[in-house]
């Protein structure tokens, strides 16, 4: 039985990764480490929480001593690191929290893995051919590459040029992960993914926020003129890519993950309004009336678009869903899980919370 640590497994993407691994790999003991901040919700995992190969541990990656004890207890084979502060708008109002979790927390985890895996006299050392027995998988974002103009794509060779405190903190963590590979020989892999959408997405991000507001006949805020472009990927396809890269990716390498699915925000919101009119039996065009153009985000990146040719050619991964189909599935999930949404928006899901997070 291999022990596999997944950090941030109670969050949006993390919960999909945990679910995939718990169900697909009965031979792995999946340990989900999560601090349960405002973004972490154990209700995301009710379908698998009783499985015998799943363990939840509440803890903070900013606590280095706790991490060393956890690694000593479980002797993890793999680490899949997703825990992060993830919302750009929050990073603009409170950057230091992003530095703490995304940078310091990541370095704490790297230290714990290094301490456990690269012990003098253990099987592994910096130049050992067995390096790939362990793996530290760092889940990152395309936002580290900065913003594109009207054309072009981010490749794995694109120079880092982060603009928001969020993307700057993720870029920094990526650099640290590579540094631990280059300096100490830590076996690592990094992926940089485009915007995800799907079920269990916290309703502060564009798609779930818009679905929730349309349901409740509240204004749908569109920043600036809605001209910014994002490349949307179904979250389950991201989880599948993580599975493929963890097991087959090359030690030390980076892989871009994207949907080849670019949408201007305003066009996406209009499509969502159409789907919602149909689902809520509203007349055509009714939900669109809720669109409300608001002040633009500071430093708002114009366009993100990922070239995931490397992942396709080397590891055979491709997105499985067309966007319209995925968006409709997502809307259906929110409409069928009103209780989840009510709990999240009312704060009732915060049953295991630290006070500091509830209050935000
Ligand atoms: P999320 O905000 O939904 O979840 C983050 C999780 O991390 C939460 O469960 C939270 O409780 C936990 N967490 C936060 N701080 C912690 C700490 N100090 N210690 C332990 N746990 C902590 O985020 P998400 O959207 O699921 O993103 C997951 C990862 O994927 C992040 O690293 C993010 O940068 C990356 N990513 C996200 C997207 C996207 O579109 N959402 C795209 C590409 C990459
Ligand atoms: P978001 O979901 O926050 O993801 P990210 O900033 O990481 O790309 O935002 C997606 C896009 O939607 C981004 O261009 C900002 C925009 N946006 C709005 O127009 N209105 C909103 O209420 C939100 C949350 C985002």
């Amino acid at each position: 039985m291999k022990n596999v640590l997944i950090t941030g497994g109670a969050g949006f993407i993390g919960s999909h990764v945990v679910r995939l691994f718990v169900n697909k790999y009965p031979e792995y003991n999946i340990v989900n480490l999560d601090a349960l901040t405002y973004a972490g919700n154990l209700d995301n995992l009710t379908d698998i929480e009783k499985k015998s190969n799943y363990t939840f541990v509440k803890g903070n990656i900013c606590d280095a001593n706790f991490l060393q004890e956890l690694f000593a207890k479980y002797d993890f084979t793999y680490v899949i690191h997703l825990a992060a502060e993830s919302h750009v708008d929050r990073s603009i109002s409170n950057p230091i929290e992003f530095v703490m979790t995304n940078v310091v927390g990541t370095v704490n985890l790297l230290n714990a893995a290094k301490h456990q895996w690269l012990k003098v006299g253990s099987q592994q050392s910096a130049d050992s051919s067995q390096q790939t027995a362990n793996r530290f998988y760092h889940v990152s974002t395309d936002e580290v590459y900065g913003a594109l103009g009207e054309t072009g794509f981010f490749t794995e060779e694109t120079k880092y040029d982060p603009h928001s405190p969020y993307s700057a903190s993720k870029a920094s963590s990526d650099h640290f992960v590579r540094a631990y590979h280059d300096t100490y020989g830590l076996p690592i892999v990094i992926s940089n993914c485009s915007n995800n959408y799907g079920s269990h997405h916290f309703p502060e991000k564009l798609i779930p926020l818009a679905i929730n507001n349309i349901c409740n006949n509240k204004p749908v805020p569109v920043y600036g003129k809605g001209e910014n472009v994002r490349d949307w990927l179904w979250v389950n396809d991201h989880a599948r890519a993580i599975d493929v890269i963890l097991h087959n990716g090359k030690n030390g390498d980076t892989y871009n993950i994207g949907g080849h699915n670019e949408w201007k925000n305003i066009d996406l919101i209009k499509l969502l309004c159409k789907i919602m009119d149909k689902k809520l039996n509203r007349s055509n065009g009714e939900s669109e009336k809720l669109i409300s153009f608001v002040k633009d985000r500071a430093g708002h990146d114009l366009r993100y678009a990922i070239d995931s040719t490397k992942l396709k050619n080397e590891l055979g991964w491709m997105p499985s869903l067309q966007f319209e189909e995925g968006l409709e599935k997502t809307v259906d999930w929110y409409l069928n899980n009103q209780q989840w949404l009510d709990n999240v928006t009312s704060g009732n899901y915060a049953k295991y919370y630290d006070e500091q997070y509830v209050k935000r």
Side-chain angles (χ1 to χ4, degrees):
M1 198 93 170
K2 285 179 175 155
N3 287 328
V4 177
L5 176 65
I6 299 182
T7 70
F12 166 47
I13 301 171
S15 63
H16 287 275
V17 176
V18 165
R19 179 173 299 103
L20 175 73
F21 274 71
V22 165
N23 288 330
K24 185 169 174 186
Y25 298 107
E27 70 276 27
Y28 292 174
N29 178 40
I30 304 298
V31 177
N32 171 12
L33 167 64
D34 199 298
L36 297 179
T37 69
Y38 80 94
N41 182 356
L42 290 178
D43 289 349
N44 293 351
L45 292 163
T46 45
D47 55 327
I48 57 100
E49 68 186 3
K50 299 223 158 60
K51 297 251 176 164
S52 58
N53 65 334
Y54 172 72
T55 308
F56 174 71
V57 176
K58 183 172 188 282
N60 197 313
I61 58 169
C62 295
D63 184 342
N65 291 334
F66 158 75
L67 287 181
Q68 299 237 341
E69 282 165 21
L70 192 74
F71 273 72
K73 177 169 177 191
Y74 287 100
D75 194 12
F76 298 111
T77 302
Y78 306 133
V79 174
I80 308 175
H81 175 36
L82 296 108
E85 289 292 337
S86 68
H87 189 41
V88 173
D89 294 327
R90 283 179 190 260
S91 81
I92 295 169
S93 46
N94 193 2
I96 199 74
E97 230 170 301
F98 286 68
V99 176
M100 292 315 295
T101 286
N102 298 1
V103 185
V104 177
T106 299
V107 176
N108 282 338
L109 262 181
L110 287 164
N111 278 337
K114 170 174 163 276
H115 182 80
Q116 191 68 27
W117 297 344
L118 305 180
K119 277 183 213 150
V120 179
S122 78
Q123 281 186 320
Q124 288 194 237
S125 66
D127 56 359
S128 162
S129 60
Q130 293 187 345
Q131 262 192 6
T132 46
N134 295 117
R135 178 151 283 189
F136 188 105
Y137 187 140
H138 181 57
V139 176
S140 192
T141 167
D142 60 355
E143 303 190 26
V144 299
Y145 297 125
L148 291 164
E150 305 275 305
T151 58
F153 294 92
F154 298 133
T155 71
E156 288 81 0
E157 274 72 51
T158 302
K159 199 165 116 342
Y160 275 33
D161 184 21
H163 297 137
S164 72
Y166 164 64
S167 53
S169 68
K170 291 296 290 189
S172 173
S173 64
D174 292 11
H175 290 317
F176 270 106
V177 174
R178 284 197 191 93
Y180 271 62
H181 174 72
D182 297 348
T183 308
Y184 308 111
L186 195 78
I188 63 109
V189 70
I190 299 177
S191 59
N192 297 85
C193 188
S194 62
N195 286 60
N196 285 214
Y197 72 96
S199 70
H200 304 90
H201 202 180
F202 193 83
E204 65 180 353
K205 306 276 172 73
L206 180 66
I207 291 180
L209 179 116
I211 293 174
N212 189 34
N213 287 14
I214 294 168
C215 274
N216 293 299
N217 269 310
K218 288 196 342 211
V220 177
V222 173
Y223 297 166
K225 294 184 178 147
E227 300 279 308
N228 304 68
V229 174
R230 297 292 182 264
D231 171 0
W232 293 94
L233 179 71
W234 194 39
V235 64
N236 301 63
D237 282 333
H238 188 186
R240 277 179 42 243
I242 289 173
D243 178 16
V244 169
I245 294 167
L246 176 78
H247 292 104
N248 304 313
K250 220 170 110 210
N251 182 21
D253 260 20
T254 294
Y255 296 85
N256 279 357
I257 312 171
H260 264 290
N261 177 44
E262 290 178 50
W263 285 80
K264 271 192 184 156
N265 291 340
I266 187 64
D267 295 337
L268 187 162
I269 293 298
K270 285 184 176 166
L271 171 64
L272 194 56
C273 287
K274 255 198 203 106
I275 296 174
M276 297 292 284
D277 280 347
K278 197 171 73 182
K279 300 280 176 191
L280 298 172
N281 292 320
R282 292 180 181 170
S283 59
N284 214 353
E286 203 179 324
S287 298
E288 251 192 62
K289 291 186 195 139
L290 296 167
I291 292 176
S292 162
F293 292 96
V294 299
K295 188 167 173 282
D296 208 353
R297 172 186 278 170
H300 199 170
D301 286 335
L302 177 67
R303 175 172 166 258
Y304 304 144
I306 278 277
D307 178 349
S308 52
T309 309
K310 175 178 175 182
L311 182 55
K312 180 176 167 223
N313 288 351
E314 289 188 13
L315 304 181
W317 174 92
M318 297 235 286
S320 71
L321 261 196
Q322 290 297 314
F323 188 53
E324 282 81 348
E325 190 188 345
L327 202 55
E328 197 161 333
K329 266 180 190 274
T330 304
V331 168
D332 286 338
W333 186 84
Y334 280 94
L335 294 178
N336 293 329
N337 289 275
Q338 198 62 48
Q339 190 62 50
W340 182 92
L341 203 49
D342 290 347
N343 283 345
V344 170
T345 46
S346 69
N348 276 348
Y349 69 116
K351 27 185 189 215
Y352 306 94
Y353 271 28
D354 294 330
E355 271 291 285
Q356 53 173 339
Y357 290 114
V358 185
K359 281 186 191 139
R360 277 210 296 211

